[in-house]
Amino acid sequence: MNLAGIDLNLLVVFNAVMDERNATRAGRKIGMSQPAVSNALNRLRYLMKDDLFVRGPDGMRPTARALELEIPVRRALSELEEALDPVSFDPRNAERTFTIATDDYMAMTLLPYLSSYLVNEAPGVNIHTTPVQGRLFEKLDAQEADYGLAPMGDDVPERFGRMEVGTDHFVCLMRTDHPLAQYDEIPLEEYAAARHMLVSPRGDPRGFVDEQLEAMGMSRRLVMVVNHFGSAPMIISSSDLIVTVPSRMADKCTEFFDLHVVPSPISPPPGMVGAVLVWHKRLTNHPAHTWFRDQILRASRDLDEHGLKRPDNLLHGRQCMAEGLPKGTSMSVREVAAQAAVNKRPAE
């Protein structure tokens, strides 16, 4: 097909409709009216000699030909956009969305810090999270996500960049009046005999605890398997179940629920004790992505230094100025008071 006869904006419309499966939402996403989107689709249908999308009860369904075009069109638009991007990146004036494939544990621990950076330093930058669904590398290849953020080992394919962004250990979360709450260290036999809940973002019916218990000739009773960490504290607080989760997640839960934390008698295998950020190497040297990876690393360091982000962990811009501190300063209330005293102390 001769590209000289194609309006490349039609491919932008195609990509938006593939994402939204709805002409009105697609138009809103790319700044076009619904009639303009429909007109562009009709022109593209004529060029492709295919319906591309047909109406269904759940929205516009892509035809087989549209599904064939999805990844090549998405990749071509992304590479064209990156080629036309400026060679430098100014977060204060940038308008851009970064997509991260991750789970709610990572979102609950790192995104609060990232959000505070964006408010103060990059107000036009957005973050969109999407579930990993057991197909992280496939999503990165298809450009459905810019980054993956999850626990993983060293088996990352060569075509991806990799950066470790934190460590964690696992603990047991339970009601404060649970029989196992009396222990500083839970005996392995009593741990295995307890009624357990498993958080499995991919929906797997077993976790590393089951594999390690099995290696020791033991097993546990898995009463419930859920695919979101966020539901764990509500279930645990109203049942006799215990759940083995990362310590940072447990700390977050105890802020809002009357729950007890005890070290887990089962340690995870290598690769499950931390978070790893991965991305396709084609993004490695792009200024915008270099900046964004720095923000992820910064959030990890703030998390290590200050703990989970709370409303008073990071100062808002106006409060920073009132205290004579740089905008976006990462500090606790106690640190703020100490720094303010130093700033206001008369010079000797």
Side-chain angles (χ1 to χ4, degrees):
M1 181 176 288
N2 185 359
L3 288 178
I6 296 180
D7 179 355
L8 293 182
N9 285 321
L10 299 181
L11 300 183
V12 175
V13 173
F14 172 84
N15 194 49
V17 176
M18 281 297 296
D19 284 343
E20 302 294 336
R21 307 297 168 92
N22 178 281
T24 300
R25 290 198 302 269
R28 191 179 302 125
K29 181 175 183 178
I30 58 178
M32 295 175 63
S33 66
Q34 186 272 332
V37 170
S38 296
N39 180 59
L41 277 180
N42 286 333
R43 292 170 59 197
L44 194 57
R45 284 165 173 151
Y46 176 77
L47 288 170
M48 295 291 106
K49 297 179 174 55
D50 188 90
D51 286 338
L52 297 178
F53 298 94
V54 295
R55 295 190 182 279
D58 54 349
M60 302 180 73
R61 295 180 175 178
T63 64
R65 177 58 173 149
L67 291 173
E68 289 177 355
L69 291 170
E70 179 183 11
I71 292 178
V73 167
R74 190 189 304 274
R75 182 178 295 124
L77 289 174
S78 177
E79 291 178 356
L80 182 60
E81 184 180 69
E82 289 169 15
L84 298 176
D85 270 350
V87 293
S88 61
F89 180 72
D90 180 6
R92 294 166 297 179
N93 299 309
E95 294 184 0
R96 192 183 188 101
T97 297
F98 296 94
T99 302
I100 310 174
T102 190
D103 57 37
D104 60 334
Y105 161 61
M106 297 298 175
M108 292 170 72
T109 53
L110 288 178
L111 289 196
Y113 279 105
L114 282 174
S115 176
S116 68
Y117 308 155
L118 298 189
V119 168
N120 292 318
E121 303 164 22
V125 172
N126 307 317
I127 294 176
H128 177 202
T129 65
T130 182
V132 176
Q133 296 176 323
R135 45 189 294 270
L136 174 58
F137 300 136
E138 181 183 340
K139 286 194 169 192
L140 296 178
D141 279 330
Q143 298 183 1
E144 296 175 24
D146 300 312
Y147 294 93
L149 183 59
M152 64 185 74
D154 297 326
D155 54 343
V156 176
E158 180 64 26
R159 65 187 181 278
F160 299 109
R162 181 183 188 277
M163 180 174 72
E164 294 186 12
V165 292
T167 59
D168 206 345
H169 61 281
F170 279 72
V171 296
C172 298
L173 194 63
M174 63 195 74
R175 288 197 335 258
T176 54
D177 60 347
H178 193 283
L180 296 184
Q182 64 179 305
Y183 294 109
D184 294 328
E185 296 182 4
I186 304 175
L188 184 58
E189 293 76 10
E190 295 196 36
Y191 173 81
R195 291 162 55 85
H196 291 255
M197 179 173 76
L198 169 66
V199 180
S200 175
R202 297 190 305 178
D204 296 332
R206 287 163 51 91
F208 74 86
V209 169
D210 304 283
E211 294 171 357
Q212 296 206 32
L213 286 174
E214 185 177 65
M216 294 183 283
M218 305 174 71
S219 64
R220 63 173 175 168
R221 169 82 164 93
L222 266 181
V223 178
M224 189 174 296
V225 179
V226 298
N227 63 346
H228 292 288
F229 285 94
S231 61
M234 291 177 279
I235 297 171
I236 294 299
S237 64
S238 59
S239 70
D240 65 343
L241 303 180
I242 69 171
V243 64
T244 304
V245 294
S247 62
R248 288 170 174 167
M249 179 69 211
D251 289 344
K252 192 72 172 177
C253 293
T254 57
E255 289 184 27
F256 303 100
F257 296 88
D258 187 21
L259 295 171
H260 185 71
V261 178
V262 182
S264 170
I266 298 290
S267 297
M272 288 195 63
V273 295
V276 176
L277 185 73
V278 292
W279 64 93
H280 201 287
K281 284 185 176 178
R282 64 174 173 267
L283 303 178
T284 295
N285 296 319
H286 192 284
H289 289 280
T290 299
W291 174 84
F292 187 69
R293 290 194 298 273
D294 286 344
Q295 304 316 301
I296 295 278
L297 191 58
R298 174 185 172 190
S300 174
R301 289 169 176 165
D302 273 343
L303 183 61
D304 287 339
E305 184 175 351
H306 303 291
L308 292 166
K309 174 76 170 68
R310 295 173 175 82
D312 60 355
N313 267 116
L314 295 185
L315 299 181
H316 204 272
R318 189 174 300 171
Q319 189 179 357
C320 286
M321 289 189 292
E323 299 294 352
L325 301 171
K327 196 173 183 181
T329 298
S330 302
M331 285 188 161
S332 67
V333 171
R334 184 179 294 111
E335 290 170 323
V336 169
Q339 184 62 51
V342 171
N343 291 345
K344 293 173 183 178
R345 186 182 301 158
E348 295 180 358

